[in-house]
Amino acid sequence: MRFGRACLLILLLGFGLYVGCSGAHAASLDEALSHFAADDFDQTEIGINEVAASGSPRAEIILRALQNDQLMFSAARKTVYIQDDSGKLFDAATGEPAAGAPPDDLDNVRINNRLRGTIEAALGTLTLLSKDADTRFKAAQAVFKSHEASALPTLEKAIAQEANSSVKLAMEQARAAIFLNMPGVSDAQKLAAIAMLRHRGDQDALALLADIPSHESPQVARAALDAIQAIQTRLAEWDVVQDAWYGISLGSVLLLAAIGLAITFGVMGVINMAHGEMVMLGAYVTFFVQEAIRRYDPALFDYSLAIALPLAFLFSGIIGILIERSIIRFLYGRPLETLLATWGLSLVLQQAVRTIFGPDNRNVGNPSFMSGAFNLGGITITYNRLWIVCFALVVFVALIGLLRLTRLGLEMRAVTQNRAMAASMGIRTSRIDALTFGLGSGIAGIAGVALSQIDNVSPNLGQGYIIDSFMVVVFGGVGNLWGTLVGAFSLGIANKFLEPYAGAVLGKIAILVLIILFIQKRPRGLFALKGRAVEA
């Protein structure tokens, strides 16, 4: 009997303690929310910090609502509400639907840029102790950017128990950002914070170091100046690397656009001004495939490019063979007429596509594996550009293999080196011409598949690459694929290094002038075809 009474007493005490804590907790949250009803930025800032410190499970919901302009207040009722997307009101403290009609004086809790930083810091404080490492890392980054001193106690606690090294480093960097502008911090702590930010070495760290107050001790000021200079030097070095990557990315695009032209121009000497339209047709095949997948089986969208590649190659290749059989074969040995005919053909193809699909840009999406970006050291690399660089190199290697290891490649090389001798050996040069033109057009088609991921798909898509393609082929050496590879990446990198100083247009003009001067010295390009029977 006594044992039962003791148990009952313990239960009653526990229940009373729970109710008391809950009541205190609610009172604390209610008191914090009351600051939002004052319609004053300073009071709102106090309310943000008190909501974050309340420990309420609704704290993050309230702050997210404030961040998204969904936190409302009524001065008359002294009540704060959360308004959902449909316009319904809920009590901010309890989450219960608001009873009765909405107040007549209902208004948004106003925030400014300073308060947005405070909200980010408060949300970071709430999630620093999350079980998810990625959430903790993002929270540390948010605290770093806001460097609000109110987040320091939670941050210290999170650092003490953090086991993930990268997350812990982000937290320590956030603490360093707070120390730099926090009063009462010793010089030793500030020197350690400066060293931490120097190690981080990005633009955010540079901005924090530049904002160090001028009244700091000479030792701290000197350390900050040294750190700023070191970061600026490192960022300048990474800018060079970033420009080089942009140049490689542009070079891969030029390689894809020019590699088919290098084959047709090298084997047949045809100045094909419609080559850009073969690229454009490949891009529209990609659009057509994705539209069909969106309509009939959206789950296959990530495989859309794999489906589009062979279709674009076949479609553009067949169009190329038809062009060669119906127009080009009558104009061999007449380069001016070939240029005019293919230029007119390019206009016809553009207008045909414009009539069928319209003049507007078409939506071609990125599969999931080509979306997003990642940081490599101090540069940012987008997945779609990285895939295109790899794809361009694969196409190049496959084409080299075709030319070196297959009968078609052997006959193409024979015709390239000496057409008359190849014909006397029984090679049907007219058939090789058609297949070569089809192969070059097919490669242009798969180049269009790749370009659809980084450029607008429109009837004018090919016009932006035809001149650059000819420059690559002529600079690298007509008919030489290795020259095309070197020429594409050389021009791409040179263009990206000139752009910051001369601008995009003047940079291209400068590249063109340099190529003209180079061709004056080496008319056959970087890697001219060799052999006593090479045709002029």
Side-chain angles (χ1 to χ4, degrees), residues 31-114:
E31 185 178 347
L33 288 172
S34 66
H35 295 285
F36 294 129
D39 196 23
D40 178 80
F41 288 145
D42 292 335
Q43 288 295 314
T44 300
E45 183 173 19
I46 295 172
I48 291 170
N49 292 326
E50 289 189 1
V51 167
S54 68
S56 170
R58 293 195 53 77
E60 184 176 358
I61 298 173
I62 294 169
L63 294 178
R64 294 286 182 195
L66 178 60
Q67 188 179 47
N68 298 327
D69 294 327
Q70 292 180 314
L71 197 67
M72 319 292 288
F73 76 97
S74 168
R77 298 185 185 181
K78 296 182 179 180
T79 306
V80 180
Y81 304 93
I82 294 176
Q83 188 177 53
D84 65 8
D85 294 334
S86 64
K88 293 182 179 179
L89 294 179
F90 298 86
D91 189 281
T94 64
E96 297 294 327
D104 294 333
D105 62 339
L106 190 67
D107 199 3
N108 287 90
V109 178
R110 297 181 301 121
I111 57 176
N112 55 20
N113 289 335
R114 175 173 62 86

Coordinates of all heavy atoms in Angstrom, one line a residue, residues 31-114:
E31 N 6.5 35.3 -24.8 CA 7.2 36.5 -24.5 C 8.1 36.9 -25.7 O 8.2 38.1 -26.0 CB 8.0 36.4 -23.2 CG 8.7 37.7 -22.8 CD 9.5 37.5 -21.5 OE1 9.3 36.5 -20.8 OE2 10.3 38.4 -21.2
A32 N 8.7 35.9 -26.3 CA 9.5 36.2 -27.5 C 8.7 36.7 -28.6 O 9.1 37.6 -29.3 CB 10.3 34.9 -27.8
L33 N 7.5 36.0 -28.8 CA 6.7 36.4 -29.9 C 6.1 37.8 -29.8 O 5.8 38.5 -30.8 CB 5.5 35.4 -30.1 CG 5.9 34.0 -30.6 CD1 4.7 33.1 -30.6 CD2 6.4 34.1 -32.1
S34 N 6.0 38.3 -28.5 CA 5.4 39.6 -28.3 C 6.2 40.7 -28.9 O 5.7 41.8 -29.3 CB 5.2 39.8 -26.8 OG 6.5 39.9 -26.2
H35 N 7.5 40.5 -29.1 CA 8.4 41.5 -29.7 C 8.0 41.7 -31.2 O 8.2 42.8 -31.7 CB 9.8 41.1 -29.6 CG 10.3 41.0 -28.2 ND1 10.6 42.2 -27.5 CD2 10.6 40.0 -27.4 CE1 11.0 41.8 -26.3 NE2 11.0 40.5 -26.2
F36 N 7.5 40.7 -31.9 CA 7.1 40.8 -33.3 C 5.9 41.7 -33.5 O 5.7 42.3 -34.6 CB 6.8 39.5 -33.9 CG 8.0 38.6 -33.9 CD1 8.0 37.3 -33.5 CD2 9.2 39.0 -34.5 CE1 9.1 36.4 -33.5 CE2 10.4 38.2 -34.5 CZ 10.3 36.9 -34.0
A37 N 5.1 41.9 -32.5 CA 3.9 42.7 -32.6 C 4.2 44.2 -32.4 O 3.3 45.0 -32.6 CB 2.8 42.3 -31.6
A38 N 5.4 44.5 -32.1 CA 5.8 45.9 -31.9 C 6.0 46.7 -33.2 O 6.1 47.9 -33.2 CB 7.0 46.0 -31.0
D39 N 6.2 45.9 -34.3 CA 6.4 46.5 -35.6 C 7.6 47.5 -35.5 O 7.6 48.6 -36.0 CB 5.2 47.3 -36.1 CG 5.3 47.6 -37.6 OD1 6.0 46.9 -38.3 OD2 4.6 48.5 -38.1
D40 N 8.7 47.0 -35.0 CA 9.9 47.8 -34.8 C 11.1 46.8 -35.1 O 11.2 45.7 -34.6 CB 10.1 48.4 -33.4 CG 11.3 49.1 -33.2 OD1 11.4 50.3 -33.6 OD2 12.3 48.6 -32.6
F41 N 12.1 47.3 -36.0 CA 13.2 46.4 -36.4 C 14.0 45.9 -35.2 O 14.4 44.8 -35.1 CB 14.0 47.1 -37.4 CG 13.4 47.2 -38.7 CD1 13.6 48.4 -39.5 CD2 12.6 46.2 -39.2 CE1 13.0 48.5 -40.8 CE2 12.0 46.3 -40.5 CZ 12.2 47.5 -41.3
D42 N 14.3 46.8 -34.2 CA 15.1 46.5 -33.1 C 14.4 45.4 -32.2 O 15.0 44.5 -31.7 CB 15.4 47.7 -32.2 CG 16.4 48.6 -33.0 OD1 17.1 48.2 -33.8 OD2 16.4 49.9 -32.6
Q43 N 13.0 45.6 -32.0 CA 12.3 44.7 -31.2 C 12.2 43.3 -32.0 O 12.2 42.3 -31.4 CB 10.8 45.2 -31.0 CG 10.8 46.4 -30.0 CD 11.2 45.9 -28.6 OE1 10.8 44.9 -28.1 NE2 12.1 46.7 -28.0
T44 N 12.1 43.4 -33.3 CA 12.0 42.1 -34.1 C 13.3 41.4 -33.9 O 13.3 40.1 -33.8 CB 11.8 42.5 -35.6 OG1 10.5 43.1 -35.7 CG2 11.7 41.2 -36.4
E45 N 14.4 42.1 -33.9 CA 15.7 41.4 -33.7 C 15.8 40.7 -32.4 O 16.2 39.6 -32.2 CB 16.9 42.4 -33.9 CG 18.2 41.7 -33.7 CD 19.4 42.7 -34.0 OE1 19.1 44.0 -34.0 OE2 20.5 42.3 -34.3
I46 N 15.3 41.4 -31.3 CA 15.2 40.8 -30.0 C 14.3 39.5 -30.0 O 14.7 38.5 -29.5 CB 14.7 41.8 -29.0 CG1 15.7 42.9 -28.8 CG2 14.4 41.1 -27.6 CD1 15.2 44.1 -27.9
G47 N 13.2 39.6 -30.7 CA 12.3 38.5 -30.8 C 12.9 37.3 -31.5 O 12.7 36.2 -31.1
I48 N 13.7 37.6 -32.6 CA 14.4 36.5 -33.3 C 15.3 35.7 -32.4 O 15.3 34.5 -32.4 CB 15.1 37.1 -34.5 CG1 14.2 37.6 -35.6 CG2 16.0 36.0 -35.2 CD1 14.8 38.4 -36.7
N49 N 16.1 36.5 -31.7 CA 17.1 35.8 -30.8 C 16.4 35.1 -29.7 O 16.9 34.0 -29.3 CB 18.1 36.9 -30.2 CG 19.0 37.5 -31.3 OD1 19.4 36.7 -32.3 ND2 19.3 38.7 -31.2
E50 N 15.3 35.7 -29.1 CA 14.6 35.0 -28.0 C 13.9 33.7 -28.5 O 13.8 32.8 -27.8 CB 13.7 36.0 -27.3 CG 14.4 37.1 -26.5 CD 13.4 37.9 -25.7 OE1 12.2 37.6 -25.7 OE2 13.9 38.8 -25.0
V51 N 13.3 33.8 -29.7 CA 12.7 32.6 -30.3 C 13.7 31.5 -30.4 O 13.4 30.3 -30.1 CB 12.0 32.9 -31.6 CG1 11.6 31.6 -32.3 CG2 10.7 33.8 -31.4
A52 N 14.9 31.8 -31.0 CA 15.9 30.8 -31.2 C 16.4 30.2 -29.8 O 16.7 29.1 -29.7 CB 17.1 31.4 -31.9
A53 N 16.4 31.1 -28.8 CA 16.9 30.7 -27.5 C 15.9 30.0 -26.7 O 16.2 29.4 -25.6 CB 17.5 31.9 -26.7
S54 N 14.6 30.0 -27.1 CA 13.5 29.5 -26.3 C 13.6 27.9 -26.2 O 13.0 27.4 -25.2 CB 12.2 29.9 -26.9 OG 12.0 29.3 -28.1
G55 N 14.2 27.3 -27.1 CA 14.2 25.8 -27.1 C 12.9 25.2 -27.6 O 12.8 24.0 -27.5
S56 N 12.0 26.0 -28.1 CA 10.7 25.5 -28.5 C 10.9 24.7 -29.9 O 11.6 25.1 -30.7 CB 9.7 26.6 -28.7 OG 8.6 26.2 -29.4
P57 N 10.2 23.6 -30.0 CA 10.2 22.9 -31.3 C 9.6 23.7 -32.4 O 9.8 23.3 -33.6 CB 9.4 21.6 -31.0 CG 8.6 21.9 -29.8 CD 9.4 22.9 -29.0
R58 N 8.9 24.7 -32.1 CA 8.3 25.6 -33.1 C 9.2 26.7 -33.5 O 8.8 27.5 -34.4 CB 6.9 26.1 -32.7 CG 5.9 25.0 -32.5 CD 4.5 25.7 -32.4 NE 4.2 26.6 -33.5 CZ 3.8 26.2 -34.7 NH1 3.8 24.9 -35.0 NH2 3.6 27.1 -35.6
A59 N 10.3 26.8 -32.9 CA 11.2 28.0 -33.2 C 11.6 28.1 -34.6 O 11.5 29.1 -35.3 CB 12.4 27.9 -32.3
E60 N 12.0 26.9 -35.2 CA 12.5 26.9 -36.6 C 11.3 27.3 -37.5 O 11.5 28.0 -38.5 CB 13.1 25.6 -37.0 CG 13.6 25.6 -38.4 CD 14.4 24.3 -38.8 OE1 14.5 23.4 -37.9 OE2 14.8 24.2 -39.9
I61 N 10.1 26.7 -37.2 CA 8.9 27.0 -38.1 C 8.6 28.5 -38.1 O 8.4 29.1 -39.1 CB 7.7 26.2 -37.6 CG1 8.0 24.7 -37.6 CG2 6.5 26.6 -38.3 CD1 6.9 23.9 -37.0
I62 N 8.7 29.1 -36.9 CA 8.4 30.6 -36.8 C 9.4 31.4 -37.6 O 9.1 32.3 -38.3 CB 8.4 31.0 -35.3 CG1 7.2 30.3 -34.6 CG2 8.3 32.5 -35.2 CD1 7.2 30.4 -33.1
L63 N 10.7 31.0 -37.4 CA 11.8 31.8 -38.1 C 11.7 31.6 -39.6 O 12.0 32.5 -40.4 CB 13.1 31.4 -37.5 CG 13.4 31.8 -36.1 CD1 14.8 31.3 -35.6 CD2 13.3 33.3 -35.9
R64 N 11.4 30.4 -40.0 CA 11.2 30.2 -41.5 C 10.1 31.0 -42.0 O 10.1 31.5 -43.1 CB 11.0 28.7 -41.8 CG 12.1 27.8 -41.4 CD 13.2 27.9 -42.4 NE 14.3 26.9 -42.1 CZ 15.5 27.0 -42.6 NH1 15.8 27.9 -43.5 NH2 16.4 26.1 -42.3
A65 N 9.0 31.1 -41.3 CA 7.8 31.9 -41.7 C 8.2 33.4 -41.8 O 7.8 34.1 -42.7 CB 6.7 31.7 -40.7
L66 N 9.0 33.8 -40.8 CA 9.4 35.2 -40.9 C 10.4 35.4 -42.1 O 10.3 36.5 -42.7 CB 10.2 35.5 -39.6 CG 10.8 36.9 -39.4 CD1 9.7 38.0 -39.5 CD2 11.6 37.1 -38.1
Q67 N 11.2 34.5 -42.3 CA 12.1 34.6 -43.5 C 11.4 34.6 -44.8 O 11.8 35.3 -45.7 CB 13.1 33.4 -43.5 CG 14.2 33.5 -44.5 CD 15.1 32.3 -44.3 OE1 14.7 31.1 -44.3 NE2 16.4 32.5 -44.3
N68 N 10.2 33.9 -44.9 CA 9.5 33.8 -46.1 C 8.3 34.8 -46.2 O 7.4 34.7 -47.0 CB 8.9 32.4 -46.3 CG 10.0 31.4 -46.4 OD1 11.1 31.7 -47.0 ND2 9.8 30.2 -45.9
D69 N 8.3 35.9 -45.3 CA 7.2 36.9 -45.2 C 5.9 36.3 -44.9 O 4.9 36.7 -45.5 CB 7.2 37.7 -46.5 CG 8.5 38.5 -46.7 OD1 9.0 39.0 -45.7 OD2 8.9 38.7 -47.8
Q70 N 5.8 35.2 -44.1 CA 4.6 34.6 -43.8 C 4.2 34.7 -42.3 O 3.2 34.2 -41.8 CB 4.6 33.1 -44.1 CG 4.7 32.8 -45.6 CD 4.8 31.3 -45.9 OE1 5.5 30.6 -45.3 NE2 4.0 30.9 -46.9
L71 N 5.0 35.5 -41.6 CA 4.7 35.8 -40.2 C 3.9 37.1 -40.1 O 4.3 38.1 -40.5 CB 6.0 35.9 -39.4 CG 5.8 35.8 -37.8 CD1 5.4 34.3 -37.5 CD2 7.1 36.1 -37.1
M72 N 2.7 37.0 -39.5 CA 1.8 38.1 -39.4 C 1.6 38.5 -38.0 O 1.8 37.7 -37.0 CB 0.4 37.8 -40.1 CG 0.5 37.0 -41.4 SD 1.2 37.9 -42.7 CE -0.1 39.0 -43.1
F73 N 1.1 39.7 -37.7 CA 0.8 40.1 -36.3 C -0.5 41.0 -36.3 O -0.8 41.6 -37.3 CB 2.0 40.8 -35.7 CG 2.1 42.3 -36.2 CD1 1.6 43.3 -35.5 CD2 2.8 42.5 -37.4 CE1 1.8 44.6 -35.9 CE2 2.9 43.8 -37.8 CZ 2.4 44.9 -37.1
S74 N -1.1 41.0 -35.2 CA -2.2 41.9 -34.9 C -1.9 42.7 -33.7 O -1.7 42.2 -32.6 CB -3.5 41.1 -34.7 OG -4.5 42.0 -34.2
A75 N -1.7 44.0 -33.9 CA -1.4 44.9 -32.7 C -2.5 45.0 -31.7 O -2.3 45.1 -30.5 CB -1.0 46.3 -33.2
A76 N -3.7 44.9 -32.3 CA -4.9 45.1 -31.4 C -5.0 43.8 -30.5 O -5.3 43.9 -29.3 CB -6.2 45.2 -32.2
R77 N -4.8 42.6 -31.0 CA -5.0 41.4 -30.3 C -3.6 41.0 -29.6 O -3.6 40.1 -28.8 CB -5.4 40.3 -31.2 CG -6.8 40.5 -31.8 CD -7.3 39.3 -32.5 NE -8.5 39.5 -33.2 CZ -9.2 38.5 -33.9 NH1 -8.6 37.3 -34.1 NH2 -10.3 38.8 -34.5
K78 N -2.5 41.7 -30.0 CA -1.2 41.3 -29.5 C -0.9 39.8 -29.8 O -0.4 39.1 -28.9 CB -1.0 41.7 -28.1 CG -1.1 43.2 -27.8 CD -0.9 43.5 -26.3 CE -1.0 45.0 -26.1 NZ -0.8 45.4 -24.7
T79 N -1.2 39.4 -31.0 CA -1.1 38.0 -31.3 C -0.3 37.9 -32.6 O -0.4 38.7 -33.5 CB -2.4 37.3 -31.5 OG1 -3.2 37.6 -30.3 CG2 -2.3 35.8 -31.7
V80 N 0.5 36.8 -32.7 CA 1.3 36.6 -33.9 C 0.8 35.3 -34.6 O 0.6 34.3 -33.9 CB 2.8 36.5 -33.6 CG1 3.7 36.2 -34.8 CG2 3.3 37.7 -32.9
Y81 N 0.7 35.4 -35.9 CA 0.2 34.3 -36.7 C 1.2 33.9 -37.8 O 2.1 34.6 -38.2 CB -1.1 34.7 -37.4 CG -2.2 35.2 -36.4 CD1 -2.4 36.5 -36.2 CD2 -3.1 34.3 -35.8 CE1 -3.4 37.0 -35.4 CE2 -4.1 34.7 -35.0 CZ -4.2 36.1 -34.7 OH -5.2 36.6 -33.9
I82 N 1.0 32.6 -38.3 CA 1.7 32.2 -39.5 C 0.6 32.0 -40.5 O -0.4 31.3 -40.3 CB 2.4 30.9 -39.2 CG1 3.6 31.1 -38.2 CG2 3.0 30.3 -40.5 CD1 4.3 29.9 -37.8
Q83 N 0.9 32.6 -41.7 CA -0.1 32.4 -42.8 C 0.5 31.5 -43.8 O 1.6 31.7 -44.3 CB -0.3 33.8 -43.4 CG -1.4 33.8 -44.5 CD -1.7 35.2 -45.0 OE1 -0.7 35.9 -45.5 NE2 -2.9 35.7 -44.9
D84 N -0.3 30.4 -44.2 CA 0.2 29.5 -45.2 C 0.0 30.0 -46.6 O -0.5 31.1 -46.8 CB -0.4 28.1 -44.9 CG -1.9 28.0 -45.2 OD1 -2.5 29.0 -45.7 OD2 -2.5 27.0 -44.9
D85 N 0.4 29.2 -47.6 CA 0.3 29.6 -49.0 C -1.2 29.8 -49.4 O -1.4 30.6 -50.3 CB 0.9 28.5 -49.9 CG 2.4 28.4 -49.6 OD1 3.0 29.4 -49.2 OD2 3.0 27.4 -49.9
S86 N -2.1 29.2 -48.8 CA -3.5 29.3 -49.1 C -4.2 30.5 -48.4 O -5.3 30.8 -48.7 CB -4.3 28.0 -48.8 OG -4.3 27.8 -47.4
G87 N -3.4 31.2 -47.5 CA -4.0 32.3 -46.8 C -4.6 32.0 -45.4 O -5.0 32.9 -44.7
K88 N -4.5 30.7 -45.0 CA -5.1 30.4 -43.7 C -4.1 30.8 -42.6 O -2.9 30.8 -42.8 CB -5.3 28.9 -43.6 CG -6.4 28.4 -44.5 CD -6.6 26.9 -44.4 CE -7.8 26.4 -45.3 NZ -7.9 24.9 -45.1
L89 N -4.7 31.2 -41.4 CA -3.9 31.7 -40.3 C -3.8 30.6 -39.2 O -4.7 29.9 -39.0 CB -4.5 32.9 -39.7 CG -4.5 34.2 -40.6 CD1 -5.2 35.3 -39.8 CD2 -3.1 34.6 -41.0
F90 N -2.6 30.5 -38.6 CA -2.3 29.6 -37.5 C -1.6 30.3 -36.4 O -0.8 31.2 -36.7 CB -1.5 28.4 -38.0 CG -2.1 27.6 -39.1 CD1 -2.0 27.9 -40.4 CD2 -2.8 26.4 -38.8 CE1 -2.6 27.2 -41.4 CE2 -3.4 25.7 -39.8 CZ -3.3 26.0 -41.1
D91 N -2.0 30.0 -35.2 CA -1.3 30.6 -34.1 C 0.1 30.2 -34.1 O 0.5 29.1 -34.1 CB -2.0 30.2 -32.8 CG -1.5 31.0 -31.6 OD1 -0.4 30.6 -31.1 OD2 -2.2 31.9 -31.1
A92 N 1.0 31.2 -34.0 CA 2.5 31.0 -34.1 C 3.0 30.2 -33.0 O 3.9 29.3 -33.1 CB 3.2 32.3 -34.3
A93 N 2.4 30.4 -31.8 CA 2.9 29.7 -30.6 C 2.5 28.3 -30.5 O 3.3 27.4 -30.1 CB 2.5 30.5 -29.3
T94 N 1.3 28.0 -30.9 CA 0.7 26.6 -30.7 C 0.6 25.8 -32.0 O 0.6 24.6 -32.0 CB -0.7 26.7 -30.1 OG1 -1.6 27.4 -31.0 CG2 -0.6 27.4 -28.8
G95 N 0.5 26.6 -33.2 CA 0.3 25.9 -34.4 C -1.1 25.6 -34.7 O -1.5 25.0 -35.8
E96 N -2.1 25.9 -33.8 CA -3.5 25.7 -34.0 C -4.1 26.7 -35.0 O -3.6 27.8 -35.0 CB -4.2 25.7 -32.7 CG -3.8 24.7 -31.6 CD -4.1 23.3 -32.1 OE1 -5.2 23.1 -32.8 OE2 -3.4 22.4 -31.8
P97 N -5.1 26.3 -35.8 CA -5.7 27.2 -36.7 C -6.3 28.4 -35.9 O -6.9 28.2 -34.7 CB -6.8 26.4 -37.3 CG -6.4 25.0 -37.2 CD -5.6 24.9 -35.9
A98 N -6.2 29.6 -36.4 CA -6.8 30.8 -35.7 C -8.3 30.7 -35.7 O -8.9 30.4 -36.7 CB -6.3 32.0 -36.4
A99 N -8.9 31.0 -34.5 CA -10.3 31.0 -34.4 C -10.9 32.3 -34.9 O -10.3 33.3 -34.7 CB -10.7 30.7 -32.9
G100 N -12.1 32.2 -35.5 CA -12.8 33.4 -35.8 C -12.3 34.1 -37.1 O -11.4 33.5 -37.8
A101 N -12.8 35.2 -37.3 CA -12.4 36.0 -38.5 C -11.0 36.6 -38.3 O -10.6 36.9 -37.2 CB -13.4 37.1 -38.8
P102 N -10.3 36.8 -39.4 CA -8.9 37.4 -39.3 C -9.0 38.8 -38.7 O -10.0 39.5 -39.0 CB -8.4 37.4 -40.7 CG -9.2 36.4 -41.5 CD -10.6 36.4 -40.8
P103 N -8.1 39.2 -38.0 CA -8.1 40.6 -37.4 C -8.1 41.7 -38.5 O -7.5 41.4 -39.6 CB -6.8 40.7 -36.6 CG -6.4 39.3 -36.3 CD -6.9 38.5 -37.5
D104 N -8.7 42.8 -38.3 CA -8.8 43.8 -39.3 C -7.4 44.5 -39.5 O -7.1 45.0 -40.6 CB -9.8 44.9 -38.9 CG -11.2 44.4 -38.8 OD1 -11.5 43.4 -39.6 OD2 -12.0 44.9 -38.1
D105 N -6.6 44.5 -38.4 CA -5.3 45.1 -38.6 C -4.1 44.2 -38.9 O -3.0 44.4 -38.6 CB -5.0 45.9 -37.3 CG -4.9 45.0 -36.1 OD1 -5.4 43.9 -36.1 OD2 -4.2 45.4 -35.1
L106 N -4.5 43.0 -39.4 CA -3.4 42.0 -39.7 C -2.4 42.5 -40.7 O -2.7 43.1 -41.7 CB -4.1 40.7 -40.3 CG -3.2 39.5 -40.4 CD1 -2.9 39.0 -39.0 CD2 -4.0 38.4 -41.2
D107 N -1.1 42.3 -40.3 CA -0.1 42.9 -41.2 C 1.2 42.0 -41.1 O 1.3 41.2 -40.1 CB 0.3 44.3 -40.8 CG 1.1 45.0 -41.9 OD1 1.2 44.4 -43.0 OD2 1.4 46.2 -41.6
N108 N 2.1 42.1 -42.1 CA 3.3 41.3 -42.1 C 4.3 41.8 -41.0 O 4.3 43.1 -40.8 CB 4.0 41.3 -43.4 CG 3.3 40.5 -44.5 OD1 2.4 41.0 -45.2 ND2 3.7 39.2 -44.6
V109 N 5.0 40.9 -40.4 CA 6.2 41.4 -39.6 C 7.3 41.8 -40.6 O 7.8 40.9 -41.3 CB 6.6 40.2 -38.7 CG1 7.9 40.7 -37.8 CG2 5.5 39.8 -37.7
R110 N 7.7 43.0 -40.6 CA 8.6 43.5 -41.5 C 10.1 43.2 -41.1 O 10.4 43.1 -39.9 CB 8.5 45.1 -41.6 CG 7.2 45.5 -42.2 CD 7.1 47.1 -42.3 NE 7.4 47.7 -41.0 CZ 8.3 48.6 -40.8 NH1 9.2 48.9 -41.7 NH2 8.5 49.1 -39.6
I111 N 10.9 42.9 -42.2 CA 12.3 42.6 -41.9 C 13.1 43.4 -43.0 O 12.6 43.7 -44.0 CB 12.6 41.1 -42.0 CG1 12.2 40.5 -43.3 CG2 12.0 40.4 -40.8 CD1 12.6 39.1 -43.5
N112 N 14.4 43.6 -42.7 CA 15.3 44.2 -43.6 C 16.5 43.3 -43.8 O 16.6 42.2 -43.3 CB 15.7 45.6 -43.1 CG 16.3 45.6 -41.7 OD1 16.7 44.6 -41.2 ND2 16.3 46.8 -41.1
N113 N 17.5 43.8 -44.5 CA 18.7 43.0 -44.8 C 19.4 42.6 -43.6 O 19.9 41.5 -43.4 CB 19.6 43.7 -45.8 CG 19.0 43.8 -47.2 OD1 18.2 42.9 -47.6 ND2 19.5 44.8 -48.0
R114 N 19.5 43.5 -42.6 CA 20.2 43.2 -41.3 C 19.5 42.1 -40.6 O 20.1 41.1 -40.1 CB 20.3 44.4 -40.5 CG 20.9 44.2 -39.1 CD 21.0 45.5 -38.4 NE 19.8 46.2 -38.2 CZ 19.0 46.0 -37.1 NH1 19.3 45.1 -36.2 NH2 17.9 46.7 -37.0

